[in-house]
Amino acid sequence: GKNVVFSNMQLPPENMPLIFQVMNAYLALGGMEGHNLTLIEAMSCGLPTIATDSSTHPEILGDSGLISEVPTYDGKHRVTFGSYNGVECDNPNPWDIAQKMENLYKEKSLREELGMKASQRAVKVFDWSIIKKEWIELVKSLIIDETKIPDEWKQLYEQTKA
């Protein structure tokens, strides 16, 4: 309808918060993303989200959004719409997505609850300072011989020891 906007153009990153502010919900239906940063940005803006169970969407959303399962044709193999660079692409279930969209549209309390959960999860799990700390700890756990640390990394490594 007239209230739905489909955009296949690349939008400037600095405009995304403004765009998210006028949205009622966010749909993450692609199956080829790695770690979907736009999904996290939408969550941080408090948008209720519907996503497919492809890629990392379930891990990112946790219980803060609605997950649409990709159907199987024999109970085991996922329905795909072909491949992209040799990787099979999952085919989302349009009826399930439509039902979830209708539920969000009709149930204000569900929109508010999922929006609040999404915002809280984005801050708690995907805050850059937390991610940086976890990465530093991971790298430190992998270092066996400190003498082999590249010079450009030594200052950062020394900071982590404090």
Side-chain angles (χ1 to χ4, degrees):
K2 64 182 178 181
N3 295 326
V4 177
V5 176
F6 293 97
S7 174
N8 62 353
M9 67 180 140
Q10 184 152 0
L11 302 167
E14 61 272 11
N15 292 350
M16 293 311 294
L18 297 171
I19 292 166
F20 287 140
Q21 286 177 10
V22 298
M23 296 171 68
N24 293 318
Y26 182 79
L27 279 72
L29 305 180
M32 295 301 298
E33 295 92 354
H35 198 72
N36 190 333
L37 291 179
T38 310
L39 173 56
I40 296 168
E41 291 169 345
M43 290 169 61
S44 71
C45 290
L47 283 172
T49 302
I50 299 169
T52 59
D53 68 348
S54 301
S55 188
T56 58
H57 296 156
E59 177 187 350
I60 292 170
L61 279 176
D63 69 348
S64 71
L66 301 175
I67 299 292
S68 176
E69 292 186 14
V70 173
T72 60
Y73 58 85
D74 63 359
K76 185 168 88 176
H77 296 92
R78 293 162 75 94
V79 177
T80 63
F81 59 83
S83 65
Y84 178 76
N85 290 340
V87 178
E88 290 293 314
C89 301
D90 291 329
N91 190 13
N93 181 339
W95 295 275
D96 185 50
I97 293 165
Q99 182 64 54
K100 286 176 172 39
M101 288 173 64
E102 183 177 18
N103 290 348
L104 278 181
Y105 176 75
K106 289 181 175 179
E107 297 178 35
K108 182 179 180 184
S109 62
L110 178 62
R111 285 194 311 272
E112 290 173 348
E113 175 190 354
L114 291 178
M116 183 183 68
K117 282 183 168 183
S119 179
Q120 290 171 346
R121 181 168 173 79
V123 170
K124 181 180 177 186
V125 178
F126 300 106
D127 179 87
W128 285 116
S129 62
I130 295 169
I131 293 171
K132 176 184 171 185
K133 182 180 177 185
E134 289 175 357
W135 270 98
I136 288 171
E137 291 302 316
L138 174 65
V139 169
K140 282 171 52 176
S141 74
L142 298 174
I143 294 175
I144 296 169
D145 185 352
E146 290 184 10
T147 63
K148 294 184 179 181
I149 299 173
D151 288 338
E152 60 270 16
W153 293 9
K154 284 183 181 177
Q155 183 181 4
L156 178 62
Y157 179 70
E158 290 302 319
Q159 291 173 2
T160 66
K161 291 169 52 174

